[in-house]
Amino acid sequence: MEESLLISNVHIVTENAIINNGFVGIRQGIIASVSKEKPAEPYDNEMHAPEESFLLPGMIDIHIHGGYGADTMDASFSALRTLSARLPEEGTTSFLATTITQNHEQIEQALLNAKEWKAAEGSSAPGADMIGIHLEGPFVSPKRAGAQPKNWIRPADLTLFQKWQQLADGLIKIVTLAPEEDKDFELIRYLKEQSIIPSMGHTDADSELLLKAAEAGVQHITHLYNAMSPFHHREPGVMGTALTHDGFFTELITDGIHSHPLAAKLAFLAKGSKKLLMITDSMRAKGLEDGEYDFGGQNVTVRDKTALLSDGTLAGSILKMNEGAEHMRRFTNCTWMDIANMTSANAAKQLGIFHRKGSVAIGKDADAVILNSKCEVLLTICRGEIAFQSKEADW
């Protein structure tokens, strides 16, 4: 039987309020109590949190290619094992393994590997939970390819997607595609019917087309500002439409590189914390030294926290989720509750798992991160198990 745990002296960021110097109890991998006063029932262990620390729901990164030397496209158990083990260091407790545009065989190997790893060890891994797959490409626009290899980009193909989803045993939860590459929105409509999120990204669509795509089922925007038609006052493009349409949840890479701090603040002011989803879009170089790395079969140079293809195109990031949270607090002066929304709750709601993840509430999975005022990770708990504990914190 798993030992129960009581965390005390921590500011608890719940859905509706912050409980100062409160108590969170965990039993059998589930949040058993959230209170201002110490529970009457005993717990096997108690951890007294460092002063002025904040307990938030575990972060959910819905757009992450890799990190710490591993990449989803490696199509190996060791790659997903590495991500699961290392992501708690940045406060991430759940993630969508994200693919990149490549030849069909490599995509299929990555999908099959994710399914097999999830079945073999992913569900019981002591680290971050791989809750599904984000299929980024290949159904995108060559005009807005970004770091997606152009030679493997192709129009949307419903039959091909159905084959891939069957291969992945239903693990594909988000598909990034360009609506102009999806004739009659056939794939978008199918995804909507299957409760899979169609996300507009790497697209040159104008606002009129995007609004029609919204009527067909689009409710999500991939990495706002990047690889999309820009804003103009006579044609707002994807950017302007995303910022003003209430129906769109919008991803944002908050590294201060993919989007200027003022652009991040603009997104926050326009969308509010309940419609923004902070992501890393990180690649394998995250957590490693500067140097040369592979991303989707392309050489990437990482220097000064920036990952670039040889032509200067941004190629993912090396951002960590807790760093992104610190940046957003600095860029926007947002609250801890805003951070909890943007790093966890919104993702859980979009993925249809808010009943068990995404907030600090009784009965939900015991996924939590404790941060200090600088958003440094002090402790991460994944499904009731301590997955990371800072050696520098005074516990």
Side-chain angles (χ1 to χ4, degrees):
M1 180 180 292
E2 295 181 6
E3 291 191 333
S4 58
L5 172 65
L6 182 67
I7 299 173
S8 60
N9 188 51
V10 67
H11 302 319
I12 308 166
V13 183
T14 72
E15 296 172 39
N16 303 309
I18 294 179
I19 301 173
N20 291 316
N21 301 314
F23 298 81
V24 174
I26 296 169
R27 297 185 190 275
Q28 298 182 329
I30 301 297
I31 297 174
S33 63
V34 180
S35 59
K36 173 65 176 175
E37 305 297 332
K38 188 173 184 176
E41 63 273 17
Y43 283 81
D44 298 319
N45 298 298
E46 180 175 344
M47 296 184 72
H48 191 78
E51 294 299 321
E52 289 304 305
S53 55
F54 298 81
L55 187 146
L56 287 77
M59 299 183 185
I60 304 173
D61 193 350
I62 63 168
H63 191 149
I64 170 173
H65 296 276
Y68 311 100
D71 190 288
T72 299
M73 297 300 290
D74 291 345
S76 68
F77 275 25
S78 63
L80 295 178
R81 192 180 297 132
T82 294
L83 288 175
S84 177
R86 297 293 302 275
L87 289 178
E89 296 174 22
E90 58 193 79
T92 297
T93 58
S94 301
F95 68 102
L96 293 184
T98 306
T99 62
I100 191 173
T101 297
Q102 256 300 336
N103 65 64
H104 293 180
E105 182 180 356
Q106 286 185 268
I107 292 174
E108 289 169 6
Q109 287 177 345
L111 298 175
L112 184 62
N113 178 71
K115 178 191 77 171
E116 292 179 344
W117 181 78
K118 179 76 171 176
E121 56 184 78
S123 296
S124 59
D129 187 6
M130 190 200 76
I131 52 177
I133 296 166
H134 182 156
L135 187 77
E136 187 178 17
F139 313 130
V140 295
S141 169
K143 294 180 181 178
R144 300 288 176 182
Q148 303 287 317
K150 288 184 180 180
N151 51 321
W152 299 113
I153 289 175
R154 58 165 298 152
D157 186 328
L158 175 57
T159 302
L160 180 60
F161 173 78
Q162 289 172 326
K163 174 189 175 184
W164 286 352
Q165 182 68 315
Q166 184 175 11
L167 194 66
D169 196 25
L171 278 176
I172 300 173
K173 306 298 183 183
I174 300 178
V175 179
T176 290
L177 72 159
E180 67 269 31
E181 300 296 327
D182 184 17
K183 186 177 180 182
D184 299 325
F185 303 142
E186 182 183 34
L187 179 54
I188 289 171
R189 296 181 196 280
Y190 176 80
L191 294 173
K192 182 66 173 178
E193 290 171 2
Q194 299 297 313
S195 298
I196 302 165
I197 299 169
S199 183
M200 298 303 93
H202 294 275
T203 169
D204 198 45
D206 60 19
S207 56
E208 182 181 2
L209 181 63
L210 195 62
L211 290 174
K212 290 179 180 177
E215 293 177 1
V218 172
Q219 56 181 359
H220 198 96
I221 302 293
T222 296
H223 47 48
L224 180 67
Y225 300 126
N226 292 276
M228 61 180 55
S229 50
F231 174 82
H232 188 278
H233 57 283
R234 285 191 290 272
E235 172 44 61
V238 179
M239 194 180 301
T241 311
L243 287 172
T244 56
H245 193 289
D246 291 339
F248 290 140
F249 282 81
T250 305
E251 296 177 1
L252 188 65
I253 308 170
T254 56
D255 59 357
I257 297 168
H258 281 76
S259 304
H260 188 279
L262 289 177
K265 184 174 182 179
L266 172 62
F268 179 76
L269 292 173
K271 302 298 294 184
S273 71
K274 293 190 176 181
K275 288 292 184 178
L276 279 180
L277 298 97
M278 287 169 46
I279 61 167
T280 64
D281 195 14
S282 64
M283 45 86 74
R284 75 170 73 246
K286 171 162 64 177
L288 305 180
E289 297 178 351
D290 287 358
E292 306 294 316
Y293 296 91
D294 169 82
F295 185 47
Q298 306 161 105
N299 187 66
V300 175
T301 300
V302 177
R303 284 197 183 89
D304 300 324
K305 298 185 177 182
T306 304
L308 299 173
L309 297 179
S310 58
D311 64 0
T313 300
L314 284 169
S317 82
I318 58 168
L319 180 68
K320 299 176 181 179
M321 282 291 279
N322 68 300
E323 294 172 345
E326 189 277 327
H327 293 159
M328 276 301 272
R329 281 180 58 78
R330 185 155 41 86
F331 296 164
T332 68
N333 198 31
C334 64
T335 68
W336 285 107
M337 293 178 69
D338 290 329
I339 292 295
N341 285 332
M342 295 186 288
T343 61
S344 190
N346 296 342
K349 290 174 181 177
Q350 274 291 73
L351 294 171
I353 58 173
F354 191 62
H355 61 287
R356 62 187 181 92
K357 295 183 185 291
S359 69
V360 182
I362 294 173
K364 292 195 175 187
D365 291 354
D367 291 343
V369 57
I370 297 180
L371 305 172
N372 64 16
S373 60
K374 298 178 182 178
C375 289
E376 294 168 331
V377 179
L378 307 180
L379 185 80
T380 303
I381 296 175
C382 297
R383 291 165 285 175
E385 297 283 337
I386 295 175
F388 173 77
Q389 183 172 354
S390 172
K391 297 178 181 177
E392 299 176 6
D394 183 21
W395 286 94

